[in-house]
Amino acid sequence: MSKLSIVIASAAITVLLTACSSSASDQPDAGSVAAAPTGSSSVSASPDPSPTLSAAPSADSSAEPSLEPGTPPQEASPEAVPPAVEAPVLEPPVVEATPTAPEAPAVVIATDPVWDAVRATVRQGSSFTITGTGYQPGQQVVILMGISQSDGMVMDEQRAITDAAGNYSFTISVAPDLAPRTYAVLTYVDDGVNGGPQFEASKRFALIDVVAA
């Protein structure tokens, strides 16, 4: 090898050594560089400059879940109560009173032993009362009514009992369809004989003129 070649080679070695020394001094100290955290994942800086908000911890874990964001809470409206409806007061219907014909006064007659001594006028459908006195207490008085001066009877045989004073009264109803004419009422005491002077002496009479209603 020539001398020129040795000089060139030495100069090149010197340049290489100088470059290595410079690059070694530019490297940062290994102790001054913090070791990168060793984890399964690394946190990288977010390119978004806006800050991130962390959720505040719940004060009560048992509290009801909150409504969805953006939905204002709604207050429960009270139930609508329908107004009370009062039942209409129904007044009873006015019923007009039907005028009735005045009743005829009751006819009271006392039978007499004389045939035509007692006489009264009554209307069809009305009534009259016969009375008798002078009997023994508790006697039975038989009462018959038929067509005057005949044997035709228009009423079944009736009986009345005298009171302690020997008096009695009996009411006879005149049928609405009884033919207008003169009728006779016969009374006598039933002493079980139905004959003789006592039987004939106990007979009493009254004439009844029935007229149309």
Side-chain angles (χ1 to χ4, degrees):
M1 181 180 299
S2 66
K3 185 175 181 179
L4 181 59
S5 300
I6 294 172
V7 172
I8 292 171
S10 297
I13 291 172
T14 302
V15 171
L16 289 173
L17 291 175
T18 302
C20 289
S21 176
S22 298
S23 62
S25 62
D26 291 337
Q27 293 294 328
D29 188 2
S32 61
V33 178
T38 60
S40 60
S41 62
S42 61
V43 179
S44 61
S46 174
D48 188 0
S50 60
T52 59
L53 299 178
S54 60
S58 175
D60 187 0
S61 59
S62 64
E64 293 292 334
S66 61
L67 299 174
E68 295 182 0
T71 303
Q74 298 179 356
E75 296 182 357
S77 60
E79 296 183 359
V81 179
V85 178
E86 296 183 359
V89 179
L90 300 179
E91 297 183 357
V94 178
V95 180
E96 296 182 358
T98 303
T100 56
E103 295 183 359
V107 177
V108 179
I109 59 177
T111 56
D112 194 273
V114 180
W115 171 254
D116 57 355
V118 177
R119 194 163 190 158
T121 301
V122 298
R123 292 184 177 182
Q124 294 171 317
S126 62
S127 62
F128 63 95
T129 301
I130 61 173
T131 63
T133 60
Y135 297 92
Q136 297 297 321
Q139 283 186 308
Q140 289 192 39
V141 179
V142 178
I143 304 167
L144 300 172
M145 180 175 175
I147 299 173
S148 178
Q149 303 295 326
S150 76
D151 294 333
M153 296 295 167
V154 296
M155 183 183 72
D156 293 336
E157 179 182 296
Q158 305 295 321
R159 291 175 179 263
I161 305 298
T162 59
D163 57 19
N167 304 322
Y168 81 92
S169 65
F170 187 84
T171 300
I172 298 176
S173 297
V174 179
D177 56 351
L178 185 64
R181 65 186 307 163
T182 300
Y183 297 87
V185 173
L186 168 65
T187 67
Y188 62 88
V189 175
D190 184 8
D191 58 2
V193 178
N194 292 336
Q198 284 187 326
F199 172 73
E200 292 297 328
S202 68
K203 286 183 179 181
R204 301 290 185 271
F205 305 96
L207 297 178
I208 308 297
D209 293 320
V210 176
V211 295

